[in-house]
Amino acid sequence: MFARAFRVRANTSIKGSDRRKLRSDVAAAFPTLSSEQLAELIPNKEELNVIKIYSHKGEAITVYMNHRNPILFEAEKVLYPTVYTLWVYPDLLPAFSTWPPVLQKLAGGADLMLPGVVVPPSGLPRVQRGTLCAVTLLGNRAPVAVGVAVMSTEEMLAAGMKGKGLAVLHTHLDHLWEYGDKSYPPTLAPLVTDSAAKESAGDEEELEGKEPVTNCSPEPEQHLDIRDLSLKDRDSCAELLGKEESHENRAAEPADDASTEDAEDSRTPQEQMDALFNQCFFHALKCKVKKSDLPLLTSTFLGSHMFSCCPAGKQLDIKKSSYKKFSKFLQCMQHQKILQVKELHKGVESIVEVDWKHPDIKAFAVPEGLSSACAAQDSKSEDREQVYHAPEIIPLYGVSTKMIPLFQESGHRKGSVLSSSEVRNIIINYVKSNELVDETNKNYVKVNAVLCDCLLDKSEQDEISHLKWDELLSRCLERLQPLHQVTFSGQEPMVRKGNIEPIDITIAQRSSNKKVTIIKNLELYGLDPQCVANALQQKVQASATITPAPGAKDRVQVQIQGNQIHHLAKMLLEEYQLPRKYIQGLEKAPKLGRKK
């Protein structure tokens, strides 16, 4: 829930009856808290604030703050404690223990899978489906995550400790934790000592054959799962795959649909992303790419072919895989002699050859639900190219260091991301709450010390005492960090730093007084440079080439003979329906009807 940044909408203090109501709600939600503990958690006189936020998925969440730390959060009228609260009351919730390397996965947004749960000698805590639970690390009782049980304890044991155990909502190291003082978990000794645990480990009746960390467990594959999990952060993906293939006892297990799904669920997020890349790679080669498409830019293969093969609800992200770079993924496929990649132009790699008779391609079966689409694409090769949809681009603003005093009153900090309308509302509320509207002329705002420091240059501070509303807002926007959000069709929104660069069109002079049209930054708008070059080449019957863009890493530019801005403008504005404000250089088109 808090693995990604959230937006703060409001920050107010809690007083009187609201504070008493919150205390009664906490007492009802956590009946094990004594009256003294409730008074400590929800004090009568100390500062207590409530913050309204929206998660990256748009969920409305209420966060309660005490001593500048988030102590509780409320979603869909359910109260949850934060890790800061659980460090003070570590036994407030039933706790499941896991291995230390798993914490980084949980903080990144992963749920707690049952193969990663360490079963203590006394057995798992007794919970029902939907019970609020904590997650601790082996050897320390201080919770590091809060989640909701997906299964009851009996269902977990019946499933052989496979599949998803807890849906994780909040963790140490996530963005909600960062909103506090960023302290680290205390070291709290487990309630059961190690020596007692060793004595209890031999008791098969108490463990019921389910304890995965003892040598007497009747299910050796459960022991192997947890050892694999602890090694995943230290070993390479290839070594892990080799180890999994060597477990013959796993291969002997019955392979029904349910066990296959559980096995997939037990993989780390990195392994799942590797599998998704492999699936989309073979799907694209089998259904999307044909021999006449070669040579094919690797960026085009990824953006136009592999992305379109991604199942609904999933998204390819090379940085979340073990490869980290798409070029390394292709190198791996080249080592397997599936395809061949060459640098046809300096800095620009292309797929030049594909072995469609390779056993891995022939053996690949298109996933159910996608096979019909693949068959349709095979029958109509001309429909293989995707219809382009112009991205939605929204300018955003980040709170800079200099502007913190102006925005901290509304609960925002350095780096908070806001839209222009949100900035406008915050400034209006600030002016009104501080009574800065000029009494004689309401079109002007009085400049107080905060506005003076944030919005005025040093040379202006002794001269300007009032600002017009529009000048006040424009100065504010100029001093915030520029950002922009790009949303491509069927994909999650992406927030990038700075203003988006326009598609840049220039005319260059070559030898013998020949002119060429150069187009840059097409990739920023989801346009494939190779497709644009091919389309232009067919329209104007002139030579078009792809070359690396100077000074721009991993970008290319299209170069076509002659001044082709008229044709290019028609393509970008009418066919691709890009707004004119994102295209630079259209004024350089040759004037029609001009006599030479």
Side-chain angles (χ1 to χ4, degrees), residues 511-524:
S511 59
S512 303
N513 202 29
K514 291 182 179 179
K515 294 180 180 179
V516 293
T517 305
I518 299 172
I519 311 107
K520 301 176 185 175
N521 301 331
L522 292 168
E523 302 95 331
L524 299 179

Side-chain angles (χ1 to χ4, degrees), residues 2-3 83 86-87 96-113 116-118 134-138 140 142-147 168-175 177 183-186 229-233 268-269:
F2 303 104
V83 290
L86 292 177
W87 293 340
F96 290 80
S97 185
T98 188
W99 303 90
V102 177
L103 174 59
Q104 202 66 36
K105 308 293 184 184
L106 301 180
D111 292 322
L112 181 64
M113 311 306 291
V117 173
V118 180
V135 180
T136 63
L137 300 181
L138 192 64
N140 189 358
V144 295
V146 180
V168 176
L169 303 175
H170 157 56
T171 70
H172 165 54
L173 300 178
D174 69 7
H175 285 273
W177 168 82
S183 55
Y184 284 81
L229 186 63
S230 65
L231 291 171
K232 278 171 185 169
D233 276 37
T268 65

Side-chain angles (χ1 to χ4, degrees), residues 55-76:
S55 70
H56 70 283
K57 292 183 178 179
E59 301 163 306
I61 302 168
T62 303
V63 179
Y64 298 95
M65 305 280 291
N66 185 8
H67 297 298
R68 296 186 179 179
N69 279 338
I71 55 170
L72 300 161
F73 64 96
E74 184 177 355
E76 297 181 354

Side-chain angles (χ1 to χ4, degrees), residues 71-90:
I71 55 170
L72 300 161
F73 64 96
E74 184 177 355
E76 297 181 354
K77 298 183 179 180
V78 179
L79 276 173
Y80 304 93
T82 67
V83 290
Y84 290 106
T85 298
L86 292 177
W87 293 340
V88 181
Y89 313 110

Side-chain angles (χ1 to χ4, degrees), residues 56 83 102 199 259 287 292 305 398 418 436 516 564:
H56 70 283
V83 290
V102 177
E199 290 175 5
S259 64
C287 296
S292 59
H305 301 307
L418 305 166
L436 297 177
V516 293
Q564 309 297 348

Side-chain angles (χ1 to χ4, degrees), residues 241-259:
L241 291 172
K243 287 188 177 184
E244 288 175 0
E245 290 173 1
S246 67
H247 296 332
E248 295 180 1
N249 58 330
R250 291 186 186 179
E253 292 180 359
D256 53 48
D257 291 340
S259 64

Side-chain angles (χ1 to χ4, degrees), residues 233 306 453:
D233 276 37
M306 285 183 62
D453 291 339

